[in-house]
């Protein structure tokens, strides 16, 4: 997710990206002495049109539940049927704690600097500027650019995942078209080799997605976004019905995985907890921001329960045969083939929303350098180039589980685990932080960095192994 702000007239939904308050909204405090108020007394004025707590809860849930949900059964397989759920709960607790750190730093800096609102990158920049360290002050702009780089990397990584997801699911529907029937009682997905290579499916989606991202005002995508959310909800309900009715592996599954498998689990799990980017924009728009911490904890608790349930049920249902997405394990009957199509439609529309975040950062940098008459052409060209880039990366890594683990390990761990604890230390260093809080924050960042290294190493190793294996098989068949 991203903290990049969208204009209110552009988009009024928080399903995957976010909305920010109008520029005339103000942060205020009952304390007019100029000193920052206590965190619990933080309030905002002139937000008559802000969202209430049920709306914030719904948007938080929508912002955290995405493609990562469907790969969690494979993540549990990598970590083990016992260690996987326990680790997922721990990661949920740590993730929501880091989100709360980010909100706390934003509140403090907004009040101290009399800012109406701050996004993720600007929070980092302001925190470094207010630091007592000259080195940090000099590199405050770099800090903002560093965060925005990882925000772009995360969003484009999501888009790569969407390309691979679409290709895998639609390919399976087409391959099994001749054997699809009305019998949904079986618990094994039939593997049929026939149609095009999955990379050709990825390429076939390219022109349609380019046309989709040419829609620059996301307000026009709102009806499609609502249909996409409904399609994904119906799909999830049908998936859970199948999982509950076909639990067959419960006692013969490994309880703990090896360290390499756990590194893959880390990348996948932190990818699933992808909602840190939506936290500040939602909090910025709330009528009563002091309610936000309770809403945040409630949302992540619900998400964690859903994640653990999906991971455990999917793994116990399909066992060692679990694939990169649980949809790929569904039987080839018309009901579950429609599930793949419905969920793919939802992902297709979501691509445009996720892509908008990266485009809002990169497109202005290119457009500002050209004459007015060429701005539209350059705008569309940059958008098309970014889509082609994500398509090319997806073609080069057509393995869903590896793409998700790599994106999670590299970018999601940086934004969700490494930066927030360090940000809190820098922001509140002059306020006399407890030594134990500093140790705790450093420990969280170290664990995040260790996961970054291990997850990236294992993901790249798995990618190289699969590439070499496919090459050897191809050479053997040609000979």
């Amino acid at each position: 997710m991203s903290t990049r702000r969208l204009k209110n007239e552009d988009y009024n939904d928080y399903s995957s990206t976010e909305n920010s308050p109008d520029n005339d909204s103000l942060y205020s405090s009952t304390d007019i002495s100029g000193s920052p108020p206590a965190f619990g007394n933080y309030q905002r004025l002139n937000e008559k049109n802000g969202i209430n707590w049920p709306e914030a809860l719904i948007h938080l849930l929508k912002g955290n539940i995405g493609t990562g949900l469907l790969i969690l059964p494979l993540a549990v397989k990598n970590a083990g049927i016992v260690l996987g759920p326990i680790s997922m709960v721990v990661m949920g607790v740590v993730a929501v704690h880091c989100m709360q750190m980010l909100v706390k730093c934003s509140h403090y800096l907004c009040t101290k600097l009399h800012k109406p609102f701050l996004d993720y990158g600007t929070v980092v920049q302001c925190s470094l500027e207010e630091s007592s360290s000259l080195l940090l002050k000099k590199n405050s702009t770099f800090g903002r650019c560093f965060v925005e780089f990882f925000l772009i990397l995360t969003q484009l990584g999501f888009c790569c995942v969407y390309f691979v997801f679409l290709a895998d699911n639609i390919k399976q529907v087409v391959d099994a078209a001749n054997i699809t029937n009305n019998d949904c009682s079986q618990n094994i997905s039939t593997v049929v080799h026939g149609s095009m290579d999955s990379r050709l499916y990825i390429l076939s989606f390219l022109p349609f997605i380019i046309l989709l991202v040419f829609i620059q005002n996301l307000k026009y995508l709102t009806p499609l976004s609502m249909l996409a959310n409904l399609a994904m909800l119906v799909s999830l309900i049908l998936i859970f019905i199948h999982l509950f009715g076909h639990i067959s592996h419960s006692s013969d599954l490994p309880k703990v995985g090896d360290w390499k498998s756990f590194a893959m689990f880390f990348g996948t799990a932190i990818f699933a907890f992808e909602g840190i980017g939506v936290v500040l924009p939602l909090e910025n728009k709330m009528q009563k921001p002091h309610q936000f911490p309770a809403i945040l904890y409630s949302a992540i608790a619900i998400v964690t329960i859903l994640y653990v349930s999906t991971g455990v049920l999917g793994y116990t249902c399909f066992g060692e045969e679990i694939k990169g997405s649980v949809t790929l394990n569904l039987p080839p009957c018309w009901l579950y083939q429609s599930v793949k199509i419905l969920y793919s439609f939802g992902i297709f529309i979501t691509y445009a929303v996720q892509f908008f975040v990266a485009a809002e950062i990169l497109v202005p940098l290119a457009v500002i350098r050209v004459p007015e008459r060429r701005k539209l052409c350059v705008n569309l060209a940059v958008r098309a180039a970014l889509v082609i880039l994500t398509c090319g990366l997806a073609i080069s890594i057509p393995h869903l589980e590896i793409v998700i683990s790599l994106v999670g390990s590299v970018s999601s761990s940086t934004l969700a685990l490494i930066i927030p604890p360090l940000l809190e230390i820098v922001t509140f260093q002059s306020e006399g932080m407890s030594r134990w809080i500093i140790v705790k924050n450093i420990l969280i960042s170290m664990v995040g960095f260790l996961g970054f290294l291990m997850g990236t190493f294992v993901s790249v190793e798995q990618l190289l192994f699969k590439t070499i294996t496919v090459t050897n098989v191809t050479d053997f068949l040609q000979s």
Side-chain angles (χ1 to χ4, degrees):
M1 305 310 300
S2 167
T3 58
R4 193 67 180 178
R5 300 191 304 273
L6 307 184
K7 296 179 181 179
N8 287 335
E9 62 269 21
D10 289 337
Y11 191 46
N12 291 319
D13 183 49
Y14 297 81
S15 57
S16 291
T17 187
E18 46 292 321
N19 199 357
S20 293
D22 299 329
N23 290 333
D24 61 351
S25 58
L26 301 172
Y27 283 87
S28 180
S29 167
T30 53
D31 182 6
I32 60 174
S33 63
S35 60
F39 176 60
N41 294 330
Y42 175 82
Q43 64 181 16
R44 182 182 299 112
L45 298 181
N46 298 336
E47 274 297 348
K48 298 178 181 179
N49 297 323
I51 61 175
N52 54 33
W53 72 264
E55 293 172 326
L57 179 63
I58 292 172
H59 293 319
L60 274 173
L61 293 175
K62 291 165 66 180
N64 278 274
I65 298 173
T67 52
L69 173 68
L70 300 180
I71 199 178
L72 289 176
L74 181 61
V76 173
K77 173 189 173 182
N78 288 331
I81 191 63
V82 173
L83 182 60
I86 295 175
S87 300
M88 209 174 297
V89 171
V90 172
M91 291 186 71
V93 172
V94 175
V96 73
H97 181 56
C98 289
M99 292 177 188
Q100 183 62 15
M101 289 183 196
L102 183 60
V103 173
K104 182 179 179 181
C105 292
S106 175
H107 286 183
Y108 177 83
L109 291 169
C110 281
T111 307
K112 182 177 182 180
L113 303 176
H114 305 290
K115 299 285 186 179
F117 53 82
L118 296 173
D119 60 23
Y120 198 161
T122 312
V123 168
V124 173
Q125 181 179 5
C126 292
S127 178
L128 296 179
E129 288 175 348
E130 294 298 310
S131 170
S132 59
S133 170
L134 293 178
L135 180 62
L136 295 180
K137 286 178 179 291
K138 291 179 180 179
N139 291 279
S140 60
T141 302
F142 171 79
R144 176 178 56 79
C145 294
F146 181 81
V147 170
E148 290 190 348
F149 169 77
F150 276 97
L151 288 173
I152 294 171
L153 193 64
T154 300
Q155 299 307 128
L156 296 183
F158 290 160
C159 293
C160 291
V161 170
Y162 295 161
F163 261 117
V164 179
F165 181 90
L166 289 169
D168 286 350
N169 281 271
I170 298 303
K171 172 179 168 57
Q172 194 179 77
V173 171
V174 174
D175 288 351
N178 292 331
I179 63 170
T180 303
N181 52 52
N182 294 321
D183 182 14
C184 297
S185 60
Q186 54 185 322
N187 191 37
I188 299 176
S189 58
T190 304
V191 179
V192 180
H193 301 283
S195 67
M196 302 183 297
D197 184 274
S198 62
R199 287 167 289 192
L200 293 178
Y201 277 93
I202 293 175
L203 192 61
S204 67
F205 281 108
L206 178 61
F208 301 101
I209 292 182
I210 288 178
L211 292 176
L212 184 68
V213 302
F214 280 174
I215 302 175
Q216 300 180 42
N217 192 331
L218 288 184
K219 179 174 61 177
Y220 300 130
L221 276 178
T222 301
L224 287 176
S225 180
M226 293 176 63
L227 289 176
N229 290 332
L230 179 61
M232 294 169 73
L233 177 61
V234 172
S235 299
L236 286 176
I237 292 174
L238 292 174
I239 290 172
F240 267 92
I241 290 174
H242 181 81
L243 296 182
F244 273 113
H246 295 84
I247 298 177
S248 55
H249 307 80
S250 56
S251 60
D252 57 341
L253 300 175
K255 295 178 174 56
V256 178
D258 57 55
W259 74 270
K260 286 189 175 182
S261 297
F262 188 82
M264 293 288 288
F265 163 85
F266 175 87
T268 303
I270 197 61
F271 176 93
F273 287 102
E274 61 188 39
I276 191 166
V278 81
V279 168
L280 283 184
L282 280 179
E283 191 279 335
N284 284 343
K285 194 61 179 175
M286 284 202 66
Q287 295 173 349
K288 300 178 180 179
H290 65 273
Q291 296 178 340
F292 190 75
I295 299 170
L296 179 63
Y297 289 128
S298 300
I300 300 303
I302 295 172
V303 168
T304 303
I305 293 172
L306 180 62
Y307 284 177
V308 173
S309 302
T310 304
V312 172
L313 287 174
Y315 188 29
T316 55
C317 180
F318 298 109
E320 296 299 318
E321 300 299 320
I322 190 67
K323 293 181 171 62
S325 170
V326 71
T327 55
L328 300 176
N329 285 95
L330 297 175
C333 66
W334 289 112
L335 177 63
Y336 292 114
Q337 296 293 66
S338 66
V339 166
K340 299 169 190 176
I341 295 173
L342 285 173
Y343 212 96
S344 295
F345 168 74
I347 293 301
F348 177 77
I349 301 301
T350 303
Y351 184 104
V353 182
Q354 295 285 11
F355 177 86
F356 193 87
V357 177
E360 280 291 282
I361 298 174
L362 295 176
V363 170
L365 298 178
V367 170
I368 198 174
R369 303 174 185 275
V370 299
E372 185 67 31
R373 66 180 184 275
R374 297 182 181 177
K375 287 186 183 296
L376 179 60
C377 293
V378 173
N379 187 325
L380 299 180
V382 172
R383 290 172 180 272
L386 290 174
V387 176
I388 293 172
L389 174 63
T390 59
C391 179
L393 292 173
I395 290 175
S396 65
I397 315 176
H399 306 290
L400 185 62
E401 66 277 12
I402 296 179
V403 177
I404 288 181
S405 180
L406 186 60
V407 173
S409 299
V410 173
S411 54
S412 298
S413 62
T414 302
L415 294 174
L417 297 180
I418 299 176
I419 295 178
L422 299 179
L423 176 65
E424 185 183 42
I425 293 176
V426 175
T427 302
F428 293 98
Q429 61 179 339
S430 60
E431 301 296 321
M433 291 184 68
S434 166
R435 180 184 304 175
W436 296 111
I437 294 179
I438 296 176
V439 171
K440 179 260 299 178
N441 286 8
I442 293 176
L443 181 61
I444 292 175
S445 289
M446 289 179 63
V447 170
F449 185 68
L450 181 62
F452 170 94
L453 294 178
M454 292 174 55
T456 303
F457 171 77
V458 175
S459 297
V460 172
E461 183 185 54
Q462 290 286 326
L463 174 63
L464 294 176
F465 173 77
K466 288 203 173 189
T467 302
I468 294 173
T469 302
V470 171
T471 302
N472 292 339
V473 171
T474 304
D475 293 342
F476 173 77
L477 293 175
Q478 291 177 347
S479 63

